Amino acid sequence: MKIGVLALQGAFIEHIKMLRRLGVEAVEARLPHQLDGLDGLIIPGGESTTIGKLAGEYRLIEPLRRFAQSTPTWGTCAGMIFLAKDIGIDEQPILGAMDISVDRNAFGRQIDSFETELEIAGLAGAPYHAVFIRAPVVTAVDKGVDVLARLDDGRIVAVKQEHLLATAFHPELTDDLRLHSAFCDIVGETQT
Ligand code: GLN
């Protein structure tokens, strides 16, 4: 199994380290041909406007759209924004791969970062310690999208749609490998 991490901007190195700790072959992807042969892709957190702009400059938008149509792809934070089909504004490029609406910077300036324990569907054991940094939330899901986690106030912060996964927080900034492992399971299921 070979998983790429989109390495245009943001926390890509941390995702690569997590995958390698799981014994998975992990590579940086920043050019269209580097998507060839990947069994899955992680789009990291960072700044979605920058990721979108650079993806345009690297001619990656269409290749990424095609990739995400059939190959497991996981967007975290800015990556979740980039995967969404609706972010309420037209100015920034997005892939539109996932049937979710997303509100960028949903927590505003006053609580722009926080950490909390989340119950995530499908993850056994203790709650997941989730790190939110200027995070988005999912404001609407179409049918076919499963909600995996909500904050105490009900806002949606983790979703799955077939082979696509999106989380509003930063799973690469903790020691907990369970979400990376769950994504590898999705990749494994898609291969068989
Ligand atoms: N606020 C950022 C954006 O809009 C996302 C922040 C993050 O990825 N930690 O892209």
Side-chain angles (χ1 to χ4, degrees), residues 127-145:
Y128 190 92
H129 187 76
V131 180
F132 291 79
I133 305 171
R134 286 177 293 106
V137 294
V138 178
T139 52
V141 297
D142 284 359
K143 61 176 190 310
V145 178

Side-chain angles (χ1 to χ4, degrees), residues 44-51 76-79 81 92 104-105 132-136 168 170:
E47 183 53 49
S48 60
T49 49
T50 309
I51 292 174
T76 63
C77 203
I81 298 166
Q92 86 181 69
R104 285 185 64 198
N105 301 323
F132 291 79
I133 305 171
R134 286 177 293 106
H170 279 263

